[in-house]
Amino acid sequence: RFKKKHKIDVIIPLRSNMDANLDAMSLAMMADQRWQTYRELRDDAGNITYREEVALIGDVRSWDECDLALYVGLMRCIDVAAGSEHIWALASTRAYDNPAELFDLYHRRTQIEERHRQLKGFWLLGAFKSTAFSLVVAHIIFVLLTYSLLELYLKKKGLERLANRTIES
């Protein structure tokens, strides 16, 4: 409905037992699917210890409740040290030229959700008890300004790893 009525593309994770996921994985394994490197981690000696590869399978129509063509992005996570491999999938109504873009957008979504959780749960936006609209608006603006300034400070100081932590921690 979002795609047809409002021209909004969506990205959703696929469960491992969904037909669209299974079909896309089968197509990726059967065909000469080109996987491209998304991210690599190396040890001190320069050897690859972990690698993520992405691929895009187009025109998947095996989801019965969805009458649109889906484009399934697959991410293959390879732990070289442990010798293990895991594949997970995202489905989209948009055909991406580069499958990495699909996963970048999905990663942005998780960052937005975490920031929302931070603001909602730990910045006391809901704890302000005034009934005056102007005071509520001022409180929200000051909290968001403080939050933004803290994020900028952490980024400038190279402390991005602290950005997902709560105020208390």
Side-chain angles (χ1 to χ4, degrees):
R1 184 182 73 211
F2 285 110
K3 177 73 172 178
K4 287 182 175 180
K5 187 174 180 182
H6 304 290
K7 308 262 188 277
I8 298 173
D9 288 303
V10 296
I11 299 172
I12 56 169
L14 295 178
R15 292 191 320 262
S16 60
N17 63 347
M18 294 179 79
D19 290 339
N21 185 12
L22 297 172
D23 289 348
M25 283 197 201
S26 296
L27 288 169
M29 298 306 164
M30 287 176 35
D32 290 333
Q33 182 61 45
R34 189 175 57 91
W35 293 81
Q36 58 188 69
T37 301
Y38 182 70
R39 184 173 64 133
E40 288 181 340
L41 298 177
R42 298 178 180 268
D43 60 12
D44 294 335
N47 300 319
I48 297 172
T49 58
Y50 180 80
R51 183 174 60 242
E52 293 174 344
E53 300 172 334
V54 292
L56 189 66
I57 306 296
D59 202 24
V60 176
R61 295 181 181 268
S62 53
W63 192 343
D64 293 335
E65 290 82 19
C66 181
D67 57 354
L68 293 171
L70 293 177
Y71 301 89
V72 178
L74 298 172
M75 179 174 282
R76 181 166 52 187
C77 305
I78 304 164
D79 188 343
V80 177
S84 64
E85 178 178 301
H86 172 72
I87 299 176
W88 62 282
L90 296 173
S92 177
T93 54
R94 177 178 165 204
Y96 289 90
D97 294 328
N98 183 358
E101 185 181 356
L102 173 65
F103 289 94
D104 289 342
L105 285 172
Y106 188 71
H107 178 67
R108 229 181 277 155
R109 173 190 161 259
T110 59
Q111 289 177 325
I112 290 168
E113 286 178 352
E114 176 59 26
R115 299 305 194 272
H116 179 263
R117 187 182 77 80
Q118 290 280 329
L119 284 171
K120 185 176 158 189
F122 303 103
W123 283 81
L124 306 175
L125 283 177
F128 194 67
K129 303 293 184 209
S130 175
T131 57
F133 180 74
S134 60
L135 290 178
V136 172
V137 169
H139 177 73
I140 290 172
I141 288 172
F142 282 120
V143 167
L144 292 176
L145 180 62
T146 304
Y147 176 79
S148 299
L149 289 172
L150 179 61
E151 290 289 312
L152 289 170
Y153 173 78
L154 292 173
K155 185 171 182 71
K156 183 175 181 177
K157 293 294 184 179
L159 302 171
E160 290 94 352
R161 68 184 187 288
L162 300 177
N164 288 337
R165 299 189 121 166
T166 63
I167 291 297
E168 289 82 11
S169 63

